[in-house]
Amino acid sequence: MILGVMTFSKRGQKTAEDLFEKCKEISPLYYDGDMPREAWIRDKFSYHIPLLFVGATGIAVRLIVPFVEDKLRDSAVIVMDQRGRHVIPLLSGHMGGANEIARNLADRVGAEVILTTATDVEDLFAVDVFARRNGFCICDRAGIRRISQRLLEGEKIRLAIDPAITFFKEDLPEGLHLVEAGDGNVDLWIGCNPLEQETDLQLIHKPYVLGMGCKKGKSFEALQTFALEELQKEGIAMDQVAALASIDLKQGEMGLETLACFYHLPFYTYGADDLQEVDGQFSESAFVSHVTGVSNVCERAALACAGQGGRLLVKKQAKDGMTFALAKQIPRIQTWQTNVSK
C-alpha cells in the first residue's frame, strides 16, 4: 500500500526514515516541502490516500480539519510521536483501515497502538470492518451506528444471511443471533440482494474482482478511465467491485495503489509461481512471461483473488500499456474477525 508521510521536526523525519526501513513493502510519499502543507494534504485526501503524521496529534488535527467530509470515504489518518513510541489511528479507523495500518506500523517498530474506537476497545464485532474485509456494500450508513450502539449496550443483534452465501456458523461473533429472513424482525441482513423488510442495516455482496496490470509509471487517471470504460461495457458499477488484484511486481505501483485507495478497495498481489498455478484458459503472451515470469497477469490475478468457484467474465483487454480482466466470485463470508488487536 502507499502511505503519505508528513513529519513536524527533524527528529521526526529521522524516525519516519527509520520506520520505513523496517516496512519495505510500504511505499511512502514523503512531504518534502515543495508545496504548502495544506495543498499536499488536500491532494492526498482527494485520492483517499492514507496519511501518517509524525509529531503532535494537535498539529495533525488542525491540518486535516478542512478536508474531513465523509467517514466512508475520508483518508485514513494515523499519528505517531517523534520517538516512535505510540501510534494513534485518528480518522477513518474502520472503513479507511487506519486501525489496521496503525497496528501494522506499531508491530514493525515496537510501538504501542492506541485504539479509541468503541467496538475495538470493547472487543466487539465491527460491522463496517466486516463489510470492508469481506467485500460487502453498506446500503445505509446510519445503520453502522445503530448496530454498533446496540452491541455496545449488550443487545443481541438478529442476523439473517442469504442462503446463497457460504459462511461458517460456528465462528459467529458474540452478540449476533442467527435467524431466518422470514422469522420476525431482522436487524442485520447479509445478502446478494436487498431484503424487502425493515432492518437496521443491510450488507450486499460485491461479486466482482478486477485484475489489472500496467507498464511502470501509468497514472491513476489513465488506469481509472480504462477500468471504468471496461466496466461500463459490462453494465457494472465500481461499487459492485470487491477488490483489485495484480502481480507482486506491482506492489508500490503508484497508479494501481492509488486506484485501490480511491475506491477503498483491498489491493491483492500474487507471486508469479502462485499465478502460474491458477487453472484456466488464458490469453498468453511471451513478452509478459519474459518480464514477469507468468504468461498472463490480469486474468490469472483476477481468478486468484476470486478464489475457489470464481470464474472469468471478461478476458484480457489491453490499452496503452494497461491490461484489464474481470472475474466473478461466489458469495462467501471469508472472515468474521474485525478487531485488529486479535
Side-chain angles (χ1 to χ4, degrees):
M1 62 168 293
I2 54 175
L3 184 65
V5 179
M6 179 178 286
T7 62
F8 302 144
S9 70
K10 290 183 179 179
R11 185 186 296 272
Q13 180 67 39
K14 184 177 187 302
T15 300
E17 291 171 353
D18 291 344
L19 165 66
F20 287 106
E21 281 298 313
K22 299 177 181 179
C23 303
K24 294 293 188 181
E25 73 277 12
I26 296 176
S27 176
L29 299 171
Y30 284 104
Y31 174 69
D32 58 10
D34 62 347
M35 66 174 73
R37 292 191 300 187
E38 292 77 8
W40 187 85
I41 294 169
R42 181 186 296 110
D43 177 72
K44 301 303 173 284
F45 259 75
S46 70
Y47 293 108
H48 311 141
I49 291 173
L51 295 175
L52 170 65
F53 293 100
V54 181
T57 300
I59 300 175
V61 170
R62 290 184 177 90
L63 286 171
I64 67 173
V65 161
F67 314 110
V68 176
E69 294 181 348
D70 184 339
K71 69 174 292 181
L72 299 186
R73 301 295 288 171
D74 285 333
S75 292
V77 177
I78 303 100
V79 178
M80 181 177 71
D81 69 85
Q82 66 184 33
R83 290 186 178 272
R85 292 172 176 168
H86 301 96
V87 182
I88 308 171
L90 193 62
L91 183 70
S92 202
H94 284 173
M95 287 305 294
N99 287 7
E100 290 186 31
I101 296 170
R103 169 64 65 184
N104 182 283
L105 295 176
D107 286 346
R108 292 180 181 277
V109 301
E112 179 183 5
V113 65
I114 309 297
L115 299 177
T116 60
T117 42
T119 51
D120 292 282
V121 171
E122 299 298 333
D123 197 21
L124 294 173
F125 176 73
V127 69
D128 43 0
V129 177
F130 168 84
R132 179 171 58 83
R133 288 185 175 178
N134 289 279
F136 288 94
C137 180
I138 297 172
C139 291
D140 178 8
R141 59 189 297 141
I144 300 172
R145 179 186 55 78
R146 291 193 292 266
I147 293 294
S148 297
Q149 188 60 42
R150 292 180 61 183
L151 286 170
L152 288 165
E153 292 173 357
E155 295 185 30
K156 288 285 186 181
I157 301 299
R158 293 170 61 86
L159 165 69
I161 300 177
D162 192 322
I165 294 178
T166 301
F167 71 101
F168 296 103
K169 183 186 300 186
E170 56 270 20
D171 294 337
L172 205 67
E174 182 180 354
L176 302 187
H177 174 57
L178 194 62
V179 299
E180 296 292 333
D183 183 19
N185 294 330
V186 172
D187 303 314
L188 176 60
W189 166 248
I190 301 175
C192 297
N193 297 291
L195 187 66
E196 294 183 0
Q197 68 183 76
E198 186 175 351
T199 61
D200 277 346
L201 179 62
Q202 298 195 24
L203 305 179
I204 305 303
H205 169 64
K206 297 181 182 181
Y208 304 108
V209 174
L210 293 184
M212 295 191 75
C214 66
K215 289 183 178 179
K216 186 175 182 179
K218 275 294 175 180
S219 70
F220 157 76
E221 289 78 11
L223 289 160
Q224 180 191 41
T225 299
F226 180 45
L228 291 176
E229 287 174 350
E230 294 302 321
L231 288 172
Q232 187 176 34
K233 292 176 184 178
E234 304 302 317
I236 295 170
M238 187 62 85
D239 62 9
Q240 295 175 278
V241 174
L244 175 65
S246 191
I247 193 168
D248 59 1
L249 294 174
K250 291 303 171 182
Q251 287 181 359
E253 182 68 45
M254 198 62 65
L256 288 173
E257 295 270 13
T258 304
L259 184 66
C261 284
F262 187 79
Y263 291 105
H264 277 330
L265 295 175
F267 181 36
Y268 298 110
T269 60
Y270 304 89
D273 290 344
D274 293 327
L275 292 179
Q276 194 64 50
E277 292 178 2
V278 177
D279 291 331
Q281 297 295 319
F282 303 108
S283 307
E284 307 290 346
S285 167
F287 174 76
V288 172
S289 180
H290 174 73
V291 173
T292 68
V294 63
S295 59
N296 181 289
V297 168
C298 61
E299 294 174 358
R300 290 178 179 272
L303 272 182
C305 189
Q308 186 174 4
R311 58 189 178 93
L312 196 62
L313 290 184
V314 178
K315 293 182 72 66
K316 175 182 174 181
Q317 305 296 308
K319 178 182 179 181
D320 299 334
M322 301 174 288
T323 59
F324 169 100
L326 187 69
K328 187 172 185 178
Q329 58 186 359
I330 65 170
R332 64 164 65 88
I333 294 172
Q334 299 186 50
T335 178
W336 289 103
Q337 182 177 321
T338 62
N339 194 318
V340 297
S341 65
K342 292 182 179 179

